Amino acid sequence: MENLFKERVKGESLGIFIGRIVFGVIAIIGLAILFGYVIMWLWNTLMPEIFGLPVISYWQAVGLFILSKILLCSGGKHSSDCSPREKKKHKFRSFDKNRCNKNVSDWEHYEKFWKEEGSDAYEKFKERMDEHSNTDTKQE
């Protein structure tokens, strides 16, 4: 088993490896406790005064945090999927791919079409819309 640890830590002693694991666990627990108190403090400072809601305890704050993660992040998905930045990136990538996957040769004749037919067709469309809106106002 000692060989397994030595292989993982690439030459570090077993004590340093275990020390890092213990430090990591303690740091995670400490941050979780701190985060619960931050949520409780924010709630108890803002919500009763603004909305007239009751004051909450530490465990209620932790429960609110867990509930918000479940509801807002669709349950068991990876945390990076929950961040607004990742959602925007994904939305933009899919939009960009859809736009770029279209045949570029379709745009080849666009300027010529717009010069010859586009402006005339647009003016006719505007006239139809004006006539349509005028007939709607007359009927009322």
Side-chain angles (χ1 to χ4, degrees), residues 7-23:
E7 196 173 297
R8 287 195 181 268
V9 295
K10 297 180 183 174
E12 290 181 350
S13 70
L14 183 61
I16 293 175
F17 179 71
I18 292 174
R20 286 184 185 198
I21 290 175
V22 170
F23 177 76

Side-chain angles (χ1 to χ4, degrees), residues 101-118:
N101 285 340
K102 291 184 179 177
N103 193 354
V104 178
S105 64
D106 291 345
W107 290 91
E108 187 176 318
H109 305 291
Y110 176 75
E111 287 185 30
K112 185 177 179 183
F113 167 80
W114 183 252
K115 287 178 183 173
E116 293 177 6
E117 298 178 29

Side-chain angles (χ1 to χ4, degrees), residues 44-63:
N44 291 339
T45 304
L46 299 173
M47 296 303 201
E49 189 173 324
I50 295 172
F51 299 111
L53 296 172
V55 187
I56 62 173
S57 70
Y58 170 78
W59 291 110
Q60 289 171 324
V62 171

Side-chain angles (χ1 to χ4, degrees), residues 49-137:
E49 189 173 324
I50 295 172
F51 299 111
L53 296 172
V55 187
I56 62 173
S57 70
Y58 170 78
W59 291 110
Q60 289 171 324
V62 171
L64 278 173
F65 174 70
I66 293 170
L67 181 63
S68 68
K69 291 302 275 184
I70 290 170
L71 293 177
L72 299 177
C73 295
S74 302
K77 291 192 175 193
H78 191 267
S79 62
S80 67
D81 295 340
C82 297
S83 71
R85 178 181 287 166
E86 288 298 319
K87 287 181 181 177
K88 287 179 185 176
K89 281 183 183 178
H90 178 68
K91 186 176 181 180
F92 177 73
R93 282 187 200 132
S94 62
F95 169 75
D96 196 39
K97 285 180 184 175
N98 291 339
R99 202 177 93 216
C100 292
N101 285 340
K102 291 184 179 177
N103 193 354
V104 178
S105 64
D106 291 345
W107 290 91
E108 187 176 318
H109 305 291
Y110 176 75
E111 287 185 30
K112 185 177 179 183
F113 167 80
W114 183 252
K115 287 178 183 173
E116 293 177 6
E117 298 178 29
S119 58
D120 292 335
Y122 179 68
E123 292 301 323
K124 290 177 185 175
F125 175 76
K126 282 189 353 185
E127 289 174 12
R128 283 196 319 257
M129 296 310 297
D130 288 340
E131 290 173 8
H132 181 68
S133 65
N134 289 338
T135 56
D136 285 347
T137 55

